Amino acid sequence: MSVDIAKVATVELVRELEKRIRCSEKKTETRTIFFGPPGAGKGTQAPRIKDEYCLCHLSTGDMLRDAVKSGSQMGLKAKAIMDAGKLVGDDVVVGIVAEAVKAPDCSKGFILDGFPRTVKQAEMLDEILKEQKVTINKVINLNIDDELLIKRVTGRLIHLPSGRTYNVFFNPPKVEGKDDITGEPLTKRGDDTEEKLRTRLVEFHTKTKPVLEYYASKVANINADDDMEAITQNIRNNLD
């Protein structure tokens, strides 16, 4: 969807221009994975970190939901799996990620959010990056108790255009149901229910924790049950 620049505040345009100039001059590159169960805070922390480090934020969940909206064959397949609270298979995910990491806005690196979810996917990712002569620098592992996650997820609200995330219990918007920046409506995802989350947590613990072992030498463990700014600073400390 195109944006009418005339309707964008001048201060926002200047801020975007300054960011692009800063990023064009940036010498270092960072390729990281934000790891953790659904609701651990990956979607909250990634937008904060990506602008600071000039990274693109690749959320496979968002990309798959876009495919579902499009009604494509892959989207319909993904919808059936996601509606059942299961993890989408490699055949649907890997091709999307392979193309995404080559995008121009990922030239300084990326944050992968929601991928890889299995050791097989991690191996496939390494092959993709090897072809580009790069590698994963750091895996940020957000640790949190399952029961706390239930409360986090059932209270989650999202501003779809920007990806900003709120929570009615821990990080409520200033105005109920409205985005703090734009005042636009916030959305609750259809799969943010306790029943579906518990199904997804079983999948996570049995299938995706081995990914941490695969990346053992690159893992930074972060306490996700902490103040939001403290979590962000801990991530910074491990990326710098």
Side-chain angles (χ1 to χ4, degrees):
M1 182 176 66
S2 61
V3 176
D4 185 351
I5 294 179
K7 296 181 179 179
V8 180
T10 301
V11 65
E12 292 296 326
L13 290 174
V14 171
R15 188 175 297 143
E16 177 64 20
L17 180 59
E18 289 175 343
K19 185 189 82 171
R20 292 194 181 199
I21 292 172
R22 174 176 59 84
C23 290
S24 70
E25 297 172 346
K26 188 173 183 287
K27 304 299 183 185
T28 58
E29 298 178 4
T30 303
R31 294 170 181 85
T32 182
I33 299 168
F34 277 24
F35 195 85
K42 302 184 297 295
T44 299
Q45 292 296 327
R48 302 180 122 211
I49 294 295
K50 74 164 188 170
D51 287 342
E52 289 184 35
Y53 289 80
C54 301
L55 311 177
C56 65
H57 175 206
L58 302 176
S59 168
T60 51
D62 289 343
M63 286 189 284
L64 287 168
R65 278 186 286 276
D66 287 344
V68 169
K69 273 187 189 176
S70 74
S72 66
Q73 183 177 357
M74 185 174 69
L76 293 173
K77 182 177 180 181
K79 184 178 187 303
I81 298 170
M82 291 165 67
D83 284 350
K86 303 290 185 178
L87 297 179
V88 178
D90 298 341
D91 58 326
V92 178
V93 178
V94 174
I96 296 175
V97 174
E99 289 302 314
V101 297
K102 297 176 183 177
D105 61 339
C106 297
S107 63
K108 299 298 182 180
F110 54 74
I111 298 171
L112 278 176
D113 172 358
F115 180 91
R117 285 174 165 160
T118 66
V119 171
K120 180 181 178 183
Q121 288 182 352
E123 291 170 344
M124 295 171 77
L125 173 62
D126 280 353
E127 285 300 313
I128 291 168
L129 298 180
K130 185 177 179 181
E131 293 175 2
Q132 300 177 32
K133 296 181 171 56
V134 295
T135 188
I136 293 296
N137 305 112
K138 186 68 70 173
V139 175
I140 300 297
N141 179 36
L142 298 172
N143 285 314
I144 189 167
D145 179 73
D146 283 1
E147 294 307 312
L148 181 56
L149 275 180
I150 302 296
K151 199 169 184 180
R152 272 196 175 187
V153 169
T154 55
R156 183 162 57 184
L157 296 169
I158 301 171
H159 180 241
L160 294 177
S162 69
R164 282 186 289 275
T165 305
Y166 301 84
N167 189 287
V168 296
F169 300 110
F170 307 112
N171 178 38
K174 295 174 183 176
V175 177
E176 184 177 353
K178 303 291 184 181
D179 177 53
D180 287 352
I181 306 299
T182 66
E184 295 171 341
L186 300 175
T187 301
K188 184 176 178 65
R189 277 169 36 182
D191 56 350
D192 281 353
T193 65
E194 182 172 344
E195 180 181 3
K196 287 188 176 181
L197 176 59
R198 290 193 183 278
T199 300
R200 292 159 69 195
L201 285 173
V202 169
E203 291 271 9
F204 174 80
H205 290 307
T206 57
K207 292 184 178 180
T208 65
K209 276 198 170 181
V211 178
L212 285 177
E213 297 176 8
Y214 179 84
Y215 286 116
S217 64
K218 299 180 178 182
V219 173
N221 292 302
I222 307 291
N223 176 20
D225 181 18
D226 203 345
D227 175 79
M228 190 182 304
E229 182 54 41
I231 296 171
T232 304
Q233 187 56 52
N234 282 336
I235 294 172
R236 290 189 193 106
N237 293 344
N238 283 282
L239 292 180
D240 290 339

